[in-house]
């Protein structure tokens, strides 16, 4: 039985959700500042915006500078926000048009018919905040693990880009095409109705929201060394489990469908871990490759609006600076409540 005074190895899984993942940035900033004596972050995973936040937090762990990671999370969301007159106009139009979805017939155009301006901007912003060219120098076998999800458009197979692999039972740095790269992050954030698919190696990838949102079972599956598995998994959940009122308009119905779809894979990932735990308790798993892994109640977006704005699907595209700041502050408060409730 684990002793309560032992340091717990924690894996943090960050669900995707566009601009709502500014909430995740606030959560991670708070977690990184938490006392290390009780909990050690051994792994991170993420999807879409959650993958970006996990990446920046991971950088802080790689260089052992949590303050640096917090500054990068702030800086990234500041850079990605709509702060110019032109960008604000485009942002307001995007959010407004998406709120009309289902109620008004709107023209649709494939992202292959217009320039890749948004993806190019996101690439530049990621490269500004994370030194991808220094990955071989930064990442060691002993470094925390990072997992990022996407889906192969052609094969339909779920994909997890990973910082490490296990070879002959030993943890090694992953140098292959499915390692961590700027293209892997862009692939996880490639929402097909807005941007083009991202090519990585021989794969063609869309947003990780269509696969593992976020990767959780990979924290324990395929890892032969029980010491490398986490003791606990903390989940940052963006899509709400419950809504207070029945959705009746087409916009509300589409919003709720999007939320339920986003949570479906999350439930499946958690179910895998809980099933392993049940089998261990019933002594149905032989050998010493398995351990009980506690999944804590999620750190979640529990509100239905922020700053008077509804947290609908359209707001996941909202880059208004005040909205992003409010989401981040909310994440910090939710993380503080979560941490105060720990043993």
């Amino acid at each position: 039985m684990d002793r309560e005074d032992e340091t717990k190895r924690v894996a943090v899984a960050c669900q995707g959700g566009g601009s709502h993942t500014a909430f995740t940035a606030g959560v991670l900033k708070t977690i990184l500042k938490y006392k290390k004596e009780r909990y050690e972050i051994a792994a991170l995973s993420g999807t879409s915006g959650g993958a970006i936040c996990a990446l920046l937090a991971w950088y802080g762990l790689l260089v052992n500078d949590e303050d640096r990671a917090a500054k990068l999370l702030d800086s990234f969301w500041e850079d990605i926000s709509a702060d110019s007159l032109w960008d604000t106009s485009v942002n307001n139009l995007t959010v407004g048009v998406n709120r009309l979805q289902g109620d008004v017939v709107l023209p649709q155009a494939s992202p292959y018919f217009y320039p890749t301006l948004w993806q190019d901007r996101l690439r530049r912003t990621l490269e500004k905040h994370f030194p991808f060219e220094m990955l071989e120098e930064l990442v060691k076998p002993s470094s925390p693990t990072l997992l990022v999800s996407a889906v192969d458009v052609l094969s339909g197979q779920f994909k997890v880009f990973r910082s490490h692999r296990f070879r002959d039972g030993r943890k090694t740095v992953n140098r292959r095409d499915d390692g961590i790269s700027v293209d892997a992050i862009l692939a996880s954030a490639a929402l097909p109705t807005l941007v083009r698919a991202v090519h990585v190696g021989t794969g063609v990838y869309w947003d990780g929201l269509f696969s593992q949102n976020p990767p959780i079972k990979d924290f324990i599956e395929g890892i032969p060394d029980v010491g490398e598995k986490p003791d606990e998994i903390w989940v940052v959940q963006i899509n709400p489990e419950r809504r207070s009122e029945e959705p009746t308009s087409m916009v509300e119905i589409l919003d709720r469908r999007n939320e339920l779809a986003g949570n479906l894979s999350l439930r499946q990932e958690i179910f895998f871990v809980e099933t392993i735990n049940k089998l261990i308790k019933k002594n149905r798993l032989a050998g010493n490759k398995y351990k009980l892994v506690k999944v804590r109640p999620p750190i979640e977006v529990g509100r239905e609006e922020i700053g008077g704005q509804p947290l609908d699907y359209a707001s996941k595209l909202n880059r208004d600076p005040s909205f992003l700041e409010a989401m981040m502050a909310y994440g910090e408060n939710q993380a503080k409540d979560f941490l105060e409730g720990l043993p």
Side-chain angles (χ1 to χ4, degrees):
M1 181 178 296
D2 292 338
R3 292 176 52 189
E4 287 300 319
D5 59 349
E6 289 180 345
T7 299
K8 306 293 185 183
R9 289 172 53 83
V10 173
V12 183
C14 306
Q15 193 179 47
S19 294
H20 289 191
T21 54
F23 172 90
T24 306
V27 170
L28 293 176
K29 284 168 56 181
T30 304
I31 288 176
L32 289 171
K33 296 175 184 177
Y34 191 61
K35 293 181 180 179
K36 293 183 179 180
E37 289 80 6
R38 289 288 288 116
Y39 297 95
E40 169 198 0
I41 299 179
L44 290 155
S45 75
T47 299
S48 194
I52 294 173
C53 293
L55 173 79
L56 299 178
W58 184 56
Y59 179 65
L61 298 176
L62 293 177
V63 298
N64 195 29
D65 189 346
E66 290 80 2
D67 290 336
R68 174 66 175 158
K71 291 177 182 177
L72 286 173
L73 286 162
D74 282 332
S75 178
F76 171 84
W77 285 102
E78 181 179 349
D79 283 0
I80 217 70
S81 66
D83 57 355
S84 69
L85 179 60
W86 166 253
D87 207 7
T88 298
S89 300
V90 171
N91 179 66
N92 291 341
L93 178 63
T94 301
V95 174
V97 167
N98 274 272
R99 286 205 169 120
L100 295 174
Q101 185 181 14
D103 290 336
V104 177
V105 177
L106 299 170
Q108 293 184 324
S110 164
Y112 292 84
F113 284 116
Y114 45 80
T116 58
L117 297 178
W118 170 248
Q119 276 177 312
D120 294 341
R121 176 179 175 179
L122 183 56
R123 178 185 292 274
R124 291 193 302 270
T125 307
L126 287 170
E127 291 175 338
K128 172 184 174 182
H129 290 82
F130 189 93
F132 291 97
E133 72 283 357
M134 295 177 61
L135 270 172
E136 290 194 11
E137 175 185 338
L138 289 172
V139 184
K140 310 298 181 186
S142 59
S143 300
T145 300
L146 177 64
L147 307 173
V148 172
S149 68
V151 64
D152 190 308
V153 181
L154 303 182
S155 70
Q157 295 296 310
F158 294 173
K159 181 69 176 181
V160 175
F161 296 94
R162 55 189 74 235
S163 61
H164 295 81
R165 285 191 170 276
F166 281 85
R167 180 182 301 170
D168 299 327
R170 298 177 58 189
K171 184 181 179 185
T172 62
V173 179
N174 186 16
R175 314 288 189 195
R176 297 161 51 173
D177 283 343
D178 61 352
I180 301 301
S181 65
V182 65
D183 286 328
I185 305 299
L186 290 171
S188 184
L191 189 62
T193 55
L194 296 179
V195 298
R196 302 180 186 184
V198 177
H199 293 240
V200 185
T202 60
V204 182
Y205 297 103
W206 275 351
D207 198 309
L209 296 174
F210 300 100
S211 58
Q212 294 164 264
N213 187 22
I216 292 178
K217 68 179 178 16
D218 292 85
F219 287 140
I220 61 176
E221 186 180 37
I223 300 178
D225 184 358
V226 70
E228 288 290 339
K229 300 177 191 287
D231 299 302
E232 297 190 4
I233 294 174
W234 298 354
V235 179
V236 185
Q237 184 172 352
I238 301 300
N239 292 315
E241 289 288 351
R242 293 179 173 82
R243 284 289 182 180
S244 60
E245 297 180 357
E246 177 183 357
T248 55
S249 71
M250 278 306 300
V251 171
E252 292 170 343
I253 292 169
L254 292 171
D255 284 345
R256 189 54 179 156
R257 185 181 69 175
N258 174 269
E259 292 168 350
L260 295 175
N263 283 339
L264 176 61
S265 60
L266 172 61
R267 286 177 174 271
Q268 292 172 332
E269 294 286 299
I270 293 175
F271 177 77
F272 176 88
V273 179
E274 292 175 340
T275 299
I276 295 296
N277 286 342
K278 289 178 182 178
L279 293 174
I280 292 173
K281 292 176 181 178
K282 294 179 179 180
N283 295 317
R284 293 185 180 177
L285 291 177
N288 58 356
K289 294 182 179 180
Y290 305 97
K291 65 187 287 188
L292 292 172
V293 178
K294 185 176 185 64
V295 181
R296 294 279 181 187
I299 308 170
E300 60 182 331
V301 177
R303 297 183 185 174
E304 297 188 8
E305 64 175 39
I306 289 287
Q309 297 191 48
L311 293 182
D312 53 7
Y313 174 78
S315 68
K316 290 182 177 181
L317 306 175
N318 188 2
R319 295 179 294 109
D320 177 76
S322 61
F323 176 73
L324 297 178
E325 290 170 6
M327 288 298 298
M328 193 176 298
Y330 179 39
E332 292 177 19
N333 290 331
Q334 289 292 85
K336 288 175 184 175
D337 291 342
F338 171 84
L339 295 171
E340 289 174 359
L342 294 174

